[in-house]
Amino acid sequence: MLLSLIKILVFVAAVAGLTWAAARLTDVTGGAEIAMAGYEVTLGPLQLVLAIALLALLGWLIFKALGLALALLRFVNGDDTAVSRWFSRSRERKGYKALGDGLIALASGEGETAMAKGRRAERYLRRPEITSILVAQGAELTGDHKTAEGAYRTLVQIDRTRFVGVRGLMRQRLAEGDTDTAMALARKAFELKPRHVETQDTLLRLQAEAHDWSGARATLDAKRRSGALPRNVARRRDAVLALSEARDVMDDALDIEAREKAIEANRLSPDLIPAAVLAARSYLAVGNTRYATRVIRKAWEAEPHPDLAQVFAEVAPEEDAQARLKRFSTLIKARPDHPETRMLEAELLIAAEQFNEARRALGDLVDTDPTARVLTLMAAIERGRGADDAVVRGWLTRALTAPRGPQWVCENCHNVHPHWEPVCSNCHAFDTLGWTRPAEGGTTLPRGTEMLPLIVGGGVGRAEPAVPALREGAPTASPLPAREAAAKAPEPTDGKAVNEADGKAVDEAELVETDPPARPEKSEAEAMAEGRK
């Protein structure tokens, strides 16, 4: 309200001022005379003021007209004009529409359409850092590796997308099997993005396959520092790399360095069985049986394993059966209920000819976990207790088709390996081998039922089964004393059984020793019945 009143007062004052000025001008005498081109104009005071005002207005209008003309000239000849912006927005709309259609086609699995839309988007947008990615992925989807490689090379030349291009080329080389170039590209990608998990894993795997253990340990340390691996997992994998380095050094016959690497691997991960075995053997090489025993005992407490028992036997290779049984009691007491411990105790008791105690040591493994090794031990026990040959033959028959128990199995692809390796030979994964049971049906002998008449039958001249000294399929020596193992070694025959787990032929002599049949009067049905009992 007050503001409106003020405005009214100001307006009234302005009108009154103008009226007063005009009245004063009319009272003033004189004027102005303007002569131009033969014309004479006389202006009074009031007219002169009005003429000046009109001239000022005319000058202002002329100035604005000139500004408008200059703006129009710049609009016509300039680079960034309304017309050019209109055409630019039109191209962007078409380009982004093509880019969106290409992404939809890529998600739908239409590689050819994705490539075509990517090229169309590039014509409109001129954004190779975006469109080349679409073209590369569409080409990979259709298997056009040449086009994909060209797109990735374009991305390498742009700072913003250099890592994407290097990674794409690395994957191309991996698919082609060119591991040397792929490793060089992986190192470059690792330099560009040290925290990229996929690049870390790829570089670590390639370095492990190439036996570049020092480089692999550096990559693993970077992976640990970036937080991509838990501390305990990184420590174990570092132990695996140290163990692999020790094995390579041992192959080069550099004993001192090999011992140091083996001991380091065991220190980093005491429960890593191959590291414990190698460390114990490195101590035995210099006559340090005390440290070797301590390493084996600590690993056995974590996970009993046949290789640990075998290297523990190497501590005193010439001792007799009773002395060995007494010395092995430290391992047996550490994990008494473990199946490996019970089978080991049974083997030692068989070597000491304490067959009834060996049967008690096996306990209920025959029923709860009837592996080939358990059944073979049962055959040895029955032979030692004086059972009929048909009974022994029945146990061995069951052992031929029984599962082999825990083996080195890849956790990634479930492939069975005869020995521990840092890298799976099938899927090339790093540190995935574990001592576990393979999938059911992966370790039984093929065509096992067709072999039963050949083993059970008691025809003239047929081989009589005997008892093996130790474990089935183990690549290491027996923990039994040297002379007992030699005395119980089976004689070779011509029969062979195929192991489905590793595809290799195993002589039947590993399970059967040939002797003339002592009791051929029993029928096959009676022998099988007694074997099942």
Side-chain angles (χ1 to χ4, degrees):
M1 183 69 180
L2 182 61
L3 182 62
S4 300
L5 179 61
I6 292 173
K7 289 180 179 180
I8 293 172
L9 292 176
V10 171
F11 176 76
V12 171
V15 171
L18 291 174
T19 304
W20 176 80
R24 292 300 301 269
L25 288 174
T26 56
D27 294 339
V28 174
T29 60
E33 293 182 359
I34 301 173
M36 182 173 29
Y39 292 96
E40 232 177 70
V41 178
T42 302
L43 298 176
L46 182 59
Q47 294 173 340
L48 180 62
V49 171
L50 293 177
I52 293 172
L54 289 175
L55 288 174
L57 178 61
L58 182 61
W60 180 82
L61 291 176
I62 293 173
F63 178 77
K64 288 297 182 181
L66 290 175
L68 180 62
L70 292 174
L72 181 61
L73 185 62
R74 286 195 300 267
F75 173 77
V76 174
N77 296 327
D79 293 331
D80 186 16
T81 63
V83 176
S84 63
R85 287 195 296 271
W86 186 87
F87 284 109
S88 177
R89 286 194 296 268
S90 177
R91 285 194 301 269
E92 284 184 356
R93 283 194 299 269
K94 293 178 181 179
Y96 284 121
K97 182 179 183 304
L99 186 63
D101 293 342
L103 292 174
I104 295 173
L106 187 65
S108 303
E110 301 173 358
E112 292 288 347
T113 304
M115 284 193 294
K117 294 296 183 180
R119 294 189 181 99
R120 179 180 175 84
E122 173 60 22
R123 287 198 304 269
Y124 287 118
L125 297 177
R126 299 292 190 269
R127 299 283 299 275
E129 69 275 14
I130 300 176
T131 57
S132 295
I133 295 175
L134 181 60
V135 173
Q137 292 186 353
E140 285 184 344
L141 192 62
T142 58
D144 189 354
H145 301 293
K146 185 176 180 181
T147 302
E149 181 175 349
Y152 284 129
R153 290 186 181 277
T154 302
L155 293 172
V156 170
Q157 299 173 3
I158 305 172
D159 293 339
R160 185 180 176 187
T161 59
R162 181 169 288 112
F163 173 78
V164 178
V166 173
R167 176 178 173 270
L169 293 175
M170 177 189 70
R171 294 175 59 185
Q172 291 273 317
R173 295 297 176 265
L174 285 174
E176 296 171 1
D178 187 359
T179 55
D180 294 336
T181 307
M183 184 181 295
L185 291 169
R187 288 196 182 99
K188 182 62 177 178
F190 183 71
E191 292 176 3
L192 294 172
K193 279 194 176 182
R195 293 179 174 270
H196 193 263
V197 177
E198 181 190 2
T199 302
Q200 293 172 346
D201 293 339
T202 302
L203 180 58
L204 182 63
R205 177 174 61 84
L206 291 174
Q207 288 172 330
E209 290 179 357
H211 289 204
D212 181 12
W213 307 118
S214 58
R217 295 185 75 176
T219 304
L220 182 67
D221 184 60
K223 188 176 177 67
R224 179 190 60 80
R225 285 187 282 105
S226 66
L229 272 183
R231 186 181 296 260
N232 58 338
V233 177
R235 189 176 181 86
R236 171 189 164 79
R237 293 190 176 178
D238 193 24
V240 171
L241 294 172
L243 171 62
S244 304
E245 189 174 6
R247 293 171 67 183
D248 281 2
V249 171
M250 187 170 291
D251 292 340
D252 295 336
L254 300 176
D255 295 337
I256 296 177
E257 188 176 355
R259 286 197 298 270
E260 292 175 351
K261 295 295 183 183
I263 294 169
E264 181 189 6
N266 180 250
R267 178 184 59 81
L268 291 171
S269 182
D271 59 343
L272 183 60
I273 293 171
V277 171
L278 195 60
R281 286 203 171 106
S282 68
Y283 284 126
L284 291 177
V286 295
N288 194 339
T289 58
R290 177 186 175 187
Y291 277 40
T293 302
R294 186 171 66 179
V295 167
I296 296 169
R297 187 182 306 165
K298 190 172 184 179
W300 187 274
E301 291 174 356
E303 180 64 31
H305 191 274
D307 289 348
L308 296 173
Q310 188 268 333
V311 75
F312 196 61
E314 295 175 6
V315 174
E318 299 299 329
E319 63 186 349
D320 59 21
Q322 293 296 335
R324 178 157 293 182
L325 179 61
K326 181 179 180 180
R327 189 169 61 86
F328 268 77
S329 62
T330 58
L331 297 185
I332 296 172
K333 292 177 182 178
R335 296 287 297 273
D337 297 329
H338 195 277
E340 181 61 38
T341 303
R342 292 159 71 178
M343 288 186 286
L344 172 64
E345 185 179 6
E347 292 176 0
L348 295 170
L349 290 170
I350 290 172
E353 298 183 357
Q354 301 178 25
F355 300 105
N356 292 327
E357 289 79 359
R359 179 63 186 90
R360 284 193 293 271
L362 283 180
D364 60 349
L365 288 181
V366 177
D367 300 322
T368 60
D369 190 15
T371 62
R373 183 177 166 196
V374 171
L375 298 176
T376 303
L377 290 173
M378 279 300 304
I381 293 171
E382 294 297 339
R383 170 58 63 87
R385 294 197 297 189
D388 291 340
D389 293 332
V391 175
V392 178
R393 207 165 41 237
W395 286 111
L396 293 175
T397 301
R398 291 180 59 189
L400 284 175
T401 55
R404 293 182 59 183
Q407 298 179 73
W408 291 113
V409 181
C410 176
E411 299 174 356
N412 188 37
C413 66
H414 308 291
N415 189 49
V416 180
H417 297 70
H419 307 284
W420 179 88
E421 295 293 341
V423 180
C424 175
S425 59
N426 183 49
C427 66
H428 305 288
F430 175 71
D431 188 26
T432 56
L433 265 64
W435 184 252
T436 183
R437 296 177 184 271
E440 184 177 356
T443 57
T444 56
L445 296 176
R447 305 169 64 86
T449 54
E450 298 179 11
M451 296 175 61
L452 295 182
L454 301 177
I455 300 172
V456 179
V460 179
R462 178 70 58 195
E464 186 73 17
V467 180
L470 186 74
R471 58 198 84 246
E472 32 68 43
T476 55
S478 170
L480 302 179
R483 52 180 176 271
E484 279 85 359
K488 294 177 179 292
E491 298 178 0
T493 63
D494 293 332
K496 290 188 176 181
V498 180
N499 188 347
E500 189 178 37
D502 52 18
K504 296 181 179 179
V506 180
D507 288 341
E508 287 180 13
E510 294 181 2
L511 299 176
V512 181
E513 184 183 89
T514 58
D515 281 326
R519 302 172 61 91
E521 68 277 1
K522 286 184 178 291
S523 66
E524 294 179 6
E526 293 173 349
M528 287 297 295
E530 292 184 10
R532 284 192 295 272
K533 292 179 182 180

